[in-house]
Amino acid sequence: KAPPRRERRSVSVVPVSVVPAAVPTSMQRAQQNELEAITDMFNKMTEQCFKKCVATYKEEALSVGEATCVDRCVHKYMTVHGKVQEILGQQAAQAQAAQAAMGAMG
């Protein structure tokens, strides 16, 4: 005699981080803003480097010259972006320190 068949149930587990909160926290908003800024920077970099380095669509793959140009362009873009972020971070820290000093005086 064959054993009785058991009904198979599928259970899906959704991580807590995937479940949207009713009201986004300030951390979630900051993360979303950061993701949008990184995506925007990547899109701009891609567009600028492509315009600069790829003149025509002769082949499906980049030529050695085009690939070298894209590599240098991306490196420059990322280096400059990093320096700008560093300067903005320093300015924000200085502004925050000045604001804290003004609050301590009052």
Side-chain angles (χ1 to χ4, degrees), residues 71-93:
D71 186 48
R72 288 180 180 162
C73 180
V74 168
H75 182 267
K76 283 182 184 179
Y77 203 97
M78 295 300 289
T79 301
V80 169
H81 181 75
K83 288 181 181 181
V84 168
Q85 290 295 79
E86 183 181 332
I87 291 168
L88 290 175
Q90 290 171 352
Q91 290 176 347

Side-chain angles (χ1 to χ4, degrees), residues 3-72:
R5 289 183 57 168
R6 296 175 114 183
E7 184 180 316
R8 296 185 79 175
R9 293 185 209 169
S10 66
V11 177
S12 62
V13 178
V14 178
V16 175
S17 62
V18 176
V19 177
V23 178
T25 65
S26 61
M27 176 66 90
Q28 289 170 328
R29 281 191 296 264
Q31 290 173 339
Q32 182 64 32
N33 290 342
E34 185 175 351
L35 179 61
E36 288 172 6
I38 289 170
T39 302
D40 186 51
M41 187 269 309
F42 178 80
N43 289 336
K44 287 179 182 178
M45 177 185 66
T46 302
E47 183 180 340
Q48 292 299 315
C49 292
F50 187 83
K51 281 181 184 178
K52 178 180 179 185
C53 299
V54 181
T56 59
Y57 304 102
K58 294 179 186 175
E59 302 169 15
E60 64 183 56
L62 294 176
S63 69
V64 173
E66 291 169 335
T68 301
C69 178
V70 169
D71 186 48
R72 288 180 180 162

